[in-house]
């Protein structure tokens, strides 16, 4: 190779190496932007925090080694328009990321620009939850979203068992987004925003006072304030003038107030007195050496620069935002990526335009930079800095503060992990989630009260409570209308008495529903309450499942349940009424059993008891006398063990039969009999007879859905007269066999008509209550009032005034539907008695057979003469059974004596034979 070729090859190699070196070289400087309002509560602290973070990054050799982080800041001047313009100018300077914006409104606008230019936005103060939508992929929130803050507010509301709140918010993207999230969070706790007080941006004090005045006329006393830090304090000044900072009010303020309090160099005691008793949220930042070092550095620099504002939690997130960008850029460059910008072909300047849109460049590595940002994982002054799969910072948590006379104190924490607690979130995150044990320290409420406010009063807007009342065609004692707004009845008296016990004045306007000719639909009236057409429904409203799903009921003021009423007729006693307690079959079986027991006892006693002996006629009389006389005497003259055993069982049977007969005869002589044969729920369901029900009530739906009764069997009735007419006519003449209705209605009906009675038992359990709108606090207050009426006895007195009718008040169910007793009712007793008799007879005959065998053996053992022996052998076998009967008929004592005598004769005879044999041997 020649020298010239060698030189050429060397130059080419050097050039190629230079190109490679240039491609992999790290830039000496990388520009990032910052977009916030300099002259604002958050901006004052954030500006210095961002500058300190840039200095710390450039001083740290482990991050962006050899590359300087350059900061380019722009002031948005609290204006969405100016902020948007400043953002566009900032992006002309080829920044790789923007720390900001501070405002949620500006964030919505410039996020579209960031999407087009691929420049990530890292906002430390824009908390609007809607900015987390997939619509804004290049928007990263390096602080906690209001989604979590509103969940913390909802947890506080639920902790104190408040159901309705008034939301006071600034009417912009930040305020509307936060209140929307608050509504969702409250709904999950079965609470709601009852009134939204929207304050236009940049409103003066007069406008704020008018809005608060309107909010104060509403029922909720729980105020949730979500506004900007720079104008929010005017709300409390206006509220104080309207006496809304007094006892009974609740003020829950989002983190903007904590930023104001922390940023104040000195807290004016006079200003603090306006906000005594407030509950304030603040982003939680755990204590650490890194945090303490930053606070010390910030205070030193602020003192040197004569900065009067203090450090707030937003400055911590601003500081960590710079470090997040720096670490992402470092990883971006370490992966071999280059920072290049290219022209966007979609952007070009129109003829004569001076906007210079063509100067906006696309960051070619924007998507890769975004991925590096999402992979961020380090510990900063705010704690762990890491993004979850949803784009939010992990471990969101809030301090819960209570403002006192000269400052505030910590009363607890909220975390997405364990809810409300008095333990620090960083401790709870090391344990399994547990949201069951919610806890806060005691709170000093507005007006220096330590008693938890009720959070609700009756609204003071001059409007009366719209109370719907059914205009019924029947049962006027319960509810009746005498004209517009003029209603009376038992239910109305109970409602008025309860209203008077409320601790606040409650004007009422009664609205009658229905024309009075037929009963209106009760569930329809409850639906009107749910639709906010009515505020409440008062009357005979049963607390049923369909109603509770759409409305809130009070404590029941009367017990109610479905019963069956049927016609009855009086039975006139006859001369043969004493035979009616038992059926013919029962009489026959009972008589046969009496005779059977008499015969059994006679057999058992005949051989040993003189009273059971005699002529056949006398013995038959004894059998009948003994058995039937056991109804009146216990017969102590029974001697045999088996006889006594049978007698004990029989006396028990007689006792039961006697008692049953007496009760049944008494019932038959005094009770009324059912005309239709319906004796309860089972017979009602199994029959095919028509059934009446009250029109408009839930009874029809219950009979069809729960009891599966065909619609064709149901007859709608409206008035008490229709009830009586339908029952009197009966099924044969177009009437009904029975009526199913709630017991209070039936009690009223029976007080007028005595020829009907309740049959069977009450088969449902419910009560009557007053219906209010869902989660209405008035329902709870009215329930308390109803309990006070019950405990004082006034509820019973109101009931007695309307429903006491002594001349027709008896409805004793025991006098309805007496029936004759049959064998089936006593089959167990009869079986037990029969088995006892059989057992005794078996034992008796076994014993008789044994004795007879012994008796026969003793007779055969005696020595009869030869003719006698032949006579015995020639005795017919048919006589053996006759001899057995004769043996049974003999007295047992006589048998024993004869057997004993035969045994003695046998011994004597054996002795005589022995003597004769001895004499013969001697000869």
């Amino acid at each position: 190779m020649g020298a010239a070729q060698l030189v050429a090859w060397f130059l080419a190699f050097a050039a190629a190496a230079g190109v490679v070196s240039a491609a992999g070289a790290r830039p000496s400087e990388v520009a990032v932007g910052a977009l916030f309002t300099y002259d604002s509560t958050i901006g004052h602290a954030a500006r210095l925090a961002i500058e300190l973070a840039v200095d710390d990054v450039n001083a740290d050799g482990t991050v962006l080694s050899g590359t300087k982080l350059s900061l380019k800041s722009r002031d948005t001047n609290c204006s969405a328009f100016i902020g948007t313009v400043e953002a566009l100018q900032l992006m002309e300077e080829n920044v790789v990321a923007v720390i900001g914006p501070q405002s949620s409104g500006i964030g919505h606008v410039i996020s579209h620009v960031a999407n087009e230019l691929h420049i990530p936005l890292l906002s430390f103060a824009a908390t609007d939850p809607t900015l987390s939508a997939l619509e804004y992929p290049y928007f990263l929130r390096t602080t906690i979203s209001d989604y979590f803050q509103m969940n913390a507010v909802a947890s506080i509301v639920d902790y104190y068992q408040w159901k309705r709140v008034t939301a006071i918010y600034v009417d912009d993207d930040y305020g509307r987004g936060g209140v929307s999230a608050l509504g969702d969070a409250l709904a999950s706790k079965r609470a709601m925003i009852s009134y939204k007080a929207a304050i236009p941006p940049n409103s003066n004090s007069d406008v704020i006072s008018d809005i608060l005045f309107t909010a104060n006329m509403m029922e909720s006393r729980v105020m949730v304030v979500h506004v900007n830090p720079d104008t929010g304090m005017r709300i409390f000044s206006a509220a104080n003038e309207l006496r809304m900072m007094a006892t009974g009010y609740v003020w829950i303020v989002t983190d903007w107030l904590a930023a104001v309090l922390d940023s104040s160099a000195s807290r004016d005691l006079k200003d603090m007195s306006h906000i005594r008793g407030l509950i304030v949220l603040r982003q939680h930042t755990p204590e650490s050496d890194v945090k303490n070092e930053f606070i010390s550095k910030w205070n030193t620099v602020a003192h040197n620069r004569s900065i009067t504002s203090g450090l707030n939690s937003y400055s911590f997130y601003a500081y960590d935002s710079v470090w997040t960008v720096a670490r992402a850029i470092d990883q971006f460059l370490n992966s071999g990526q280059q920072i290049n910008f290219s022209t966007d072909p979609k952007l070009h300047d129109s003829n004569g335009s001076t906007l210079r849109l063509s100067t906006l460049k696309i960051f070619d590595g924007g998507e890769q930079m975004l991925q590096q940002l999402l992979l961020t994982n380090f510990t900063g002054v705010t704690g762990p800095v890491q993004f979850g799969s949803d784009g939010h910072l992990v471990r969101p948590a809030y301090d819960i503060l209570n403002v006192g006379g000269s400052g505030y104190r910590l009363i607890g924490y909220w975390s997405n992990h364990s809810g409300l607690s008095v333990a620090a979130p960083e401790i709870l995150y090391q344990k399994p989630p547990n949201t069951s044990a919610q806890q806060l320290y005691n709170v000093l409420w507005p007006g220096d009260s330590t008693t938890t406010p009720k959070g609700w009063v009756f609204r003071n807007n001059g409007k009366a409570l719209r109370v719907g009342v059914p205009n019924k065609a029947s049962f006027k004692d319960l509810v009746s209308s005498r004209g517009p707004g003029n209603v009376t009845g038992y239910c109305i008296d109970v409602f008025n008495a309860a209203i008077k016990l409320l601790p606040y004045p409650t004007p009422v306007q009664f609205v009658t529903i229905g024309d009075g000719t037929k009963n209106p639909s009760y569930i329809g009236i409850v639906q009107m309450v749910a639709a906010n057409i009515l505020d409440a429904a008062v009357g005979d409203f049963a607390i049923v499942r369909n109603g509770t799903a759409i409305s809130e009921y009070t404590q029941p003021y009367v017990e109610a349940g479905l019963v069956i009423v049927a016609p009855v007729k009086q039975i006139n006693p006859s001369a043969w009424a004493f035979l009616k307690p038992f059926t013919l079959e029962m009489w026959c079986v009972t008589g046969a059993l009496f005779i059977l027991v008499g015969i059994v006892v006679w057999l058992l006693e005949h051989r040993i008891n003189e009273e059971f002996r005699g002529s056949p006629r006398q013995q038959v009389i004894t059998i009948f006398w003994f058995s039937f006389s056991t109804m009146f005497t216990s017969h102590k003259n029974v001697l045999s063990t088996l006889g006594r055993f049978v007698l004990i069982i029989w006396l028990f049977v007689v006792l039961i039969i006697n008692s049953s007969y007496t009760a049944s005869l008494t019932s038959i002589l005094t009770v009324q009999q059912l005309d239709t044969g319906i004796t309860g729920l089972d017979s009602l369901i199994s029959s095919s007879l028509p059934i009446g029900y009250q029109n408009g009530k839930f009874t029809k739906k219950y009979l069809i859905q729960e009891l599966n009764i065909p619609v064709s069997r149901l007859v709608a009735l409206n008035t008490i007269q229709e009830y009586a007419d339908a029952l009197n006519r009966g099924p044969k003449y177009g009437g009904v066999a029975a009526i199913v209705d709630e017991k209070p209605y039936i009690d009223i009906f029976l007080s007028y008509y005595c020829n009907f009675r309740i049959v069977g038992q009450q088969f449902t359990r419910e009560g009557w209550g007053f219906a209010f709108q869902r989660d209405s606090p008035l329902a709870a207050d009215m329930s308390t009032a109803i309990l006070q009426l019950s405990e004082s006895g006034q509820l019973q007195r109101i009931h007695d005034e309307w429903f006491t009718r002594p001349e027709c008040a008896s409805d004793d169910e025991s006098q309805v539907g007496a029936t004759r007793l049959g064998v089936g009712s006593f089959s167990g007793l009869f079986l037990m008695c029969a088995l006892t008799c059989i057992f005794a007879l078996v034992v008796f005959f076994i014993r008789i057979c044994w004795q007879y065998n012994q008796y026969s053996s003793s007779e055969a053992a005696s020595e009869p003469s030869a003719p006698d022996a032949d006579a015995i052998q020639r005795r017919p076998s048919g006589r053996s059974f006759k001899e057995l009967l004769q043996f049974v008929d003999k007295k047992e004592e006589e048998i024993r004596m004869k057997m004993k005598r035969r045994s003695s004769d046998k011994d004597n005879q054996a002795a005589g034979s022995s003597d004769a044999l001895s004499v013969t041997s001697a000869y």
Side-chain angles (χ1 to χ4, degrees):
M1 183 180 296
Q5 291 178 330
L6 184 60
V7 171
W9 178 84
F10 177 77
L11 291 174
F13 176 80
V19 172
V20 174
S21 176
R26 298 171 67 96
S28 59
E29 183 176 289
V30 176
V32 295
L35 200 62
F36 56 93
T37 300
Y38 293 171
D39 188 17
S40 66
T41 300
I42 296 176
H44 286 156
R47 184 175 186 180
L48 180 56
I50 291 173
E51 293 175 357
L52 291 176
V54 172
D55 292 341
D56 290 343
V57 167
N58 290 330
D60 191 335
T62 61
V63 179
L64 290 178
S65 178
T67 300
K68 179 183 178 182
L69 188 65
S70 175
L71 179 66
K72 299 181 183 296
S73 298
R74 290 293 185 273
D75 185 5
T76 59
N77 202 24
C78 288
S79 169
F81 174 73
I82 294 177
T84 302
V85 173
E86 292 292 340
L88 293 174
Q89 293 178 352
L90 182 63
M91 293 181 182
E92 288 180 353
E93 301 188 31
N94 293 340
V95 294
V96 297
V98 175
I99 299 172
Q102 174 184 327
S103 165
S104 296
I106 299 174
H108 277 281
V109 176
I110 68 170
S111 288
H112 295 287
V113 179
N115 290 347
E116 184 66 24
L117 302 182
H118 298 180
I119 298 177
L121 304 176
L122 288 84
S123 178
F124 58 89
T127 55
D128 177 12
T130 59
L131 285 169
S132 301
L134 298 177
E135 183 182 5
Y136 310 116
Y138 282 87
F139 180 88
L140 288 181
R141 197 193 320 271
T142 54
T143 187
I144 304 176
S145 169
D146 279 339
Y147 167 82
F148 299 105
Q149 181 166 212
M150 296 309 169
N151 275 274
V153 172
S155 294
I156 296 173
V157 171
D158 182 63
Y159 178 76
Y160 292 107
Q161 298 183 356
W162 299 315
K163 293 300 181 183
R164 298 192 176 192
V165 305
T166 294
I168 303 172
Y169 63 100
V170 60
D171 194 10
D172 60 8
D173 291 328
Y174 160 74
R176 289 190 296 268
V179 168
S180 177
L182 175 63
D184 294 339
L186 288 173
S188 67
K189 303 290 185 180
R190 289 200 63 184
M192 62 178 295
I193 300 174
S194 60
Y195 182 72
K196 295 181 180 180
I199 301 176
N202 303 318
S203 297
N204 57 36
S205 298
D206 293 337
V207 174
I208 294 175
S209 295
D210 292 341
I211 293 172
L212 291 181
F213 179 79
T214 304
N216 193 36
M217 297 174 68
M218 301 300 151
E219 56 196 16
S220 176
R221 285 295 178 263
V222 181
M223 310 292 177
V224 178
V225 184
H226 185 59
V227 295
N228 293 316
D230 301 290
T231 58
M233 293 301 292
R234 285 184 293 173
I235 292 177
F236 301 116
S237 298
N240 188 62
E241 293 176 359
L242 294 173
R243 298 182 179 179
M244 295 175 66
M245 305 301 296
T247 302
Y249 286 85
V250 177
W251 291 85
I252 303 175
V253 189
T254 53
D255 54 17
W256 66 266
L257 181 56
V260 172
L261 297 178
D262 290 338
S263 298
S264 301
S266 62
R267 301 183 180 92
D268 191 332
L269 296 180
K270 182 179 179 181
D271 292 338
M272 292 294 292
S273 65
H274 290 174
I275 58 175
R276 287 168 62 92
L278 272 61
I279 294 179
V280 184
L281 277 74
R282 178 180 64 188
Q283 297 100 327
H284 174 72
T285 53
E287 297 298 324
S288 64
D289 294 338
V290 176
K291 177 181 175 181
N292 294 332
E293 182 181 350
F294 168 69
I295 294 174
S296 177
K297 184 183 300 184
W298 194 95
N299 290 331
T300 300
V301 176
H303 177 73
N304 294 336
R305 297 186 184 182
S306 300
I307 298 176
T308 58
S309 63
L311 186 65
N312 58 55
S313 59
Y314 284 102
S315 58
F316 295 139
Y317 288 100
Y319 181 86
D320 279 349
S321 298
V322 176
W323 274 98
T324 300
V325 171
R327 292 176 180 274
I329 294 174
D330 188 47
Q331 293 297 323
F332 177 83
L333 295 176
N334 288 340
S335 65
Q337 299 290 335
Q338 291 295 306
I339 298 177
N340 295 317
F341 293 86
S342 59
T343 303
D344 188 348
K346 301 176 185 178
L347 297 175
H348 59 274
D349 296 322
S350 301
N351 294 332
S353 174
T354 59
L355 293 178
R356 298 188 301 169
L357 296 177
S358 59
T359 58
L360 297 175
K361 307 293 185 181
I362 296 177
F363 177 28
D364 295 337
E367 185 173 351
Q368 290 76 15
M369 179 67 72
L370 177 63
Q371 295 305 316
Q372 293 298 333
L373 288 168
L374 292 173
L375 294 175
T376 299
N377 188 359
F378 71 97
T379 301
V381 296
T382 60
V385 180
Q386 183 181 357
F387 295 100
S389 58
D390 55 0
H392 295 299
L393 286 178
V394 298
R395 298 189 176 183
Y398 283 89
D399 299 333
I400 302 176
L401 312 175
N402 183 212
V403 180
S406 59
Y408 56 78
R409 63 186 181 92
L410 185 69
I411 61 170
Y413 305 92
W414 179 91
S415 68
N416 195 40
H417 182 72
S418 298
L420 300 175
S421 68
V422 294
E426 53 269 21
I427 297 176
L428 297 178
Y429 270 113
Q430 299 175 5
K431 302 177 181 179
N434 181 18
T435 57
S436 60
Q438 305 293 284
Q439 185 180 3
L440 290 175
Y441 290 121
N442 294 332
V443 176
L444 177 68
W445 302 101
D448 293 336
S449 173
T450 57
T451 302
T452 302
K454 183 165 53 176
W456 181 88
V457 296
F458 186 76
R459 59 189 177 192
N460 187 26
N461 58 2
K463 296 181 180 179
L465 194 71
R466 300 164 299 174
V467 177
V469 177
N471 189 8
K472 298 166 62 69
S474 61
F475 300 102
K476 300 291 187 178
D477 292 343
L478 296 172
V479 177
S480 64
S481 174
R482 299 179 179 177
N486 185 11
V487 292
T488 60
Y490 166 69
C491 301
I492 304 301
D493 283 359
V494 172
F495 178 77
N496 289 333
I499 282 288
K500 293 178 181 178
L501 294 179
L502 298 181
Y504 42 82
T506 309
V508 174
Q509 176 188 359
F510 290 108
V511 180
T512 56
I513 310 297
D515 56 9
T517 59
K518 67 177 183 178
N519 297 339
S521 171
Y522 277 64
I523 192 63
I525 299 176
V526 176
Q527 288 172 349
M528 293 174 68
V529 175
N532 199 27
I533 300 174
L534 298 172
D535 296 314
V538 172
D540 44 343
F541 287 89
I543 303 174
V544 294
R545 181 179 56 196
N546 292 343
T548 56
I550 59 176
S551 63
E552 192 85 13
Y553 282 88
T554 63
Q555 171 82 13
Y557 61 88
V558 65
E559 294 297 327
L562 292 179
V563 294
I564 303 170
V565 64
V568 294
K569 60 182 179 181
Q570 189 72 31
I571 301 298
N572 295 322
S574 66
W576 301 98
F578 68 92
L579 295 176
K580 291 184 178 180
F582 293 160
T583 62
L584 178 62
E585 182 185 21
M586 178 66 180
W587 279 116
C588 294
V589 173
T590 304
L593 200 60
F594 269 98
I595 296 174
L596 173 65
V597 171
I599 294 174
V600 171
V601 173
W602 174 81
L603 285 173
L604 299 176
E605 294 291 316
H606 176 70
R607 302 181 69 235
I608 62 175
N609 196 334
E610 288 291 341
E611 294 186 10
F612 288 84
R613 300 185 68 82
S615 65
R617 178 174 174 272
Q618 290 178 331
Q619 294 186 46
V620 170
I621 293 174
T622 299
I623 290 173
F624 281 93
W625 172 84
F626 175 84
S627 60
F628 287 100
S629 65
T630 53
M631 292 188 294
F632 315 105
T633 181
S634 60
H635 288 284
K636 299 180 180 180
N637 58 343
V638 176
L639 302 179
S640 66
T641 302
L642 289 174
R644 291 177 178 178
F645 174 67
V646 171
L647 186 61
I648 288 174
I649 302 300
W650 174 241
L651 289 176
F652 176 73
V653 174
V654 169
L655 175 65
I656 300 301
I657 294 176
N658 224 352
S659 301
S660 302
Y661 175 84
T662 303
S664 182
L665 179 61
T666 303
S667 177
I668 287 175
L669 294 176
T670 59
V671 305
Q672 299 164 325
Q673 294 295 315
L674 297 172
D675 274 345
T676 60
I678 293 178
T679 59
L681 182 61
D682 293 338
S683 58
L684 179 73
I685 296 174
S686 60
S687 72
S688 58
L689 300 175
I691 304 169
Y693 68 93
Q694 184 180 168
N695 191 25
K697 297 290 287 185
F698 75 98
T699 311
K700 177 181 179 181
K701 189 173 183 179
Y702 180 86
L703 293 174
I704 296 173
Q705 295 184 354
E706 302 296 333
L707 302 183
N708 297 319
I709 294 178
V711 181
S712 59
R713 291 181 58 191
L714 303 181
V715 179
L717 304 171
N718 285 292
T719 66
I720 293 178
Q721 291 73 20
E722 290 182 8
Y723 276 37
D725 180 63
L727 288 172
N728 284 328
R729 285 187 285 119
K732 294 181 179 179
Y733 301 99
V736 296
I739 293 176
V740 176
D741 207 345
E742 294 171 88
K743 194 172 186 299
Y745 299 122
I746 300 303
D747 289 339
I748 297 174
F749 172 67
L750 295 180
S751 68
Y752 290 96
Y753 297 94
C754 299
N755 56 327
F756 308 106
R757 284 293 180 267
I758 295 174
V759 297
Q761 301 295 322
Q762 180 175 310
F763 55 90
T764 65
R765 291 288 185 272
E766 66 265 349
W768 288 353
F770 306 131
F772 292 87
Q773 293 180 7
R774 189 77 171 168
D775 298 324
S776 171
L778 189 57
D781 290 348
M782 286 292 289
S783 294
T784 302
I786 290 172
L787 288 176
Q788 292 177 0
L789 291 176
S790 178
E791 293 171 356
S792 65
Q794 187 176 354
L795 191 62
Q796 185 62 42
R797 288 193 292 271
I798 296 173
H799 179 275
D800 294 340
E801 289 175 3
W802 284 95
F803 301 126
T804 300
R805 295 175 59 88
E807 71 276 9
C808 207
S810 176
D811 62 349
D812 187 4
E813 295 181 13
S814 66
Q815 296 189 8
V816 179
T819 57
R820 305 178 71 183
L821 301 176
V823 177
S825 302
F826 304 94
S827 58
L829 280 174
F830 291 165
L831 179 63
M832 179 180 66
C833 183
L835 292 176
T836 302
C837 292
I838 292 173
F839 172 76
L841 289 176
V842 169
V843 174
F844 172 76
F845 281 113
I846 290 175
R847 185 167 176 269
I848 285 295
C849 292
W850 179 80
Q851 287 183 347
Y852 180 71
N853 183 54
Q854 294 293 323
Y855 179 79
S856 300
S857 299
S858 64
E859 185 178 13
S862 61
E863 292 185 1
S865 59
D868 293 338
D870 293 339
I872 292 173
Q873 291 175 359
R874 293 192 301 268
R875 183 180 301 168
S877 60
R879 295 186 59 190
S880 299
F881 181 71
K882 182 177 180 181
E883 291 176 356
L884 176 62
L885 293 179
Q886 292 175 351
F887 177 80
V888 172
D889 187 55
K890 292 180 181 180
K891 294 181 65 175
E892 186 170 345
E893 184 178 358
E894 179 183 346
I895 297 298
R896 289 178 180 175
M897 293 292 295
K898 185 174 291 187
M899 290 178 64
K900 185 176 181 181
R901 187 168 52 252
R902 287 177 177 176
S903 177
S904 177
D905 293 344
K906 179 181 177 181
D907 292 341
N908 294 333
Q909 202 172 48
S913 299
S914 177
D915 292 341
L917 182 62
S918 300
V919 172
T920 303
S921 301
Y923 286 102

